[in-house]
Amino acid sequence: MGKNRVVLVGGGIATKLVEDFCLHADIPALKRAVIDISYADFNKTATTVVFDTGAVIPKGAFILKTLIDEVVKFEGGAISTAVIAVGDSDGSGGTTDPDRYNTGTPNVFQNADVLDAGAVSGTALHTADAEVAVTLTTSDNANALTAGSDKITIFYLQAADHSS
C-alpha cells in the first residue's frame, strides 16, 4: 500500500492518501492572544481605567470568543464592584471600541476559574492591526486596589498573513 496511504476498514476495505486527512493551508488557523493583567495595571485615581496591553490582534483576524481565566478577586479600599471590558486601544490611553471582544460585563470582584466574556460585540473581522485594551470599572478609585489578576484569552481565526 505504501507509506503515503491509509487503509480504511468499514463496509469494505479501501485506501486513501494520507494528505486527504491532513489540514490544508487554505483552512484558517485557530490562534489566540493571551493577556495577563494585574491590579497594578490600573493604578489611577479613577473609577474607570483603561490599560493598553501591548497585545495586538492582526489584520485579517476573525474574532471567535473571549474568555477570562484564573480570576483572583480585584479588591481593596472601599471597592465593592469590579467589572472589565475587552476592546481596542486608541493608542493614547483610551479605546476606539471599549467592548469589541465581549458583550458581557465579566465580574472580577470574585474569584473564578473561568468567566465567559459574552459574544463579540464589535466587528469580528479586523481590517487593520488592533492593540487590545482592557477597561476596569470599579465602585471606588482603582488606585485603592490591593489585589487582583486574571488571564484574558481572545480566540481568533487567521486565514492569511496580512502583515506586509
Side-chain angles (χ1 to χ4, degrees), residues 44 49-53 88-96 131-133:
K44 291 187 180 171
V49 180
V50 176
F51 170 59
D52 291 338
T53 66
D88 292 341
S89 169
D90 68 4
S92 61
T95 60
T96 56
E131 181 181 1
V132 177

Side-chain angles (χ1 to χ4, degrees), residues 21-116:
F21 294 97
C22 296
L23 291 178
H24 296 281
D26 58 347
I27 296 174
L30 177 62
K31 297 192 175 189
R32 65 185 177 156
V34 179
I35 305 154
D36 291 312
I37 63 171
S38 164
Y39 73 95
D41 298 324
F42 303 96
N43 189 17
K44 291 187 180 171
T45 307
T47 58
T48 299
V49 180
V50 176
F51 170 59
D52 291 338
T53 66
V56 174
I57 304 296
K59 176 181 178 181
F62 185 86
I63 304 301
L64 299 173
K65 190 70 176 164
T66 301
L67 298 176
I68 299 140
D69 293 300
E70 303 171 16
V71 179
V72 175
K73 180 180 179 179
F74 282 72
E75 63 182 339
I79 293 173
S80 59
T81 61
V83 296
I84 63 172
V86 185
D88 292 341
S89 169
D90 68 4
S92 61
T95 60
T96 56
D97 185 346
D99 61 353
R100 180 176 190 176
Y101 306 112
N102 68 295
T103 54
T105 50
N107 177 5
V108 293
F109 191 68
Q110 64 180 353
N111 293 317
D113 290 333
V114 64
L115 298 173
D116 182 347

Side-chain angles (χ1 to χ4, degrees), residues 5-25:
R5 297 189 82 67
V6 174
V7 176
L8 303 173
V9 179
I13 296 178
T15 64
K16 194 109 169 111
L17 290 173
V18 171
E19 290 82 19
D20 291 342
F21 294 97
C22 296
L23 291 178
H24 296 281

Side-chain angles (χ1 to χ4, degrees), residues 58-59 158-164:
K59 176 181 178 181
Q158 183 74 40
D161 181 1
H162 295 279
S163 59
S164 55

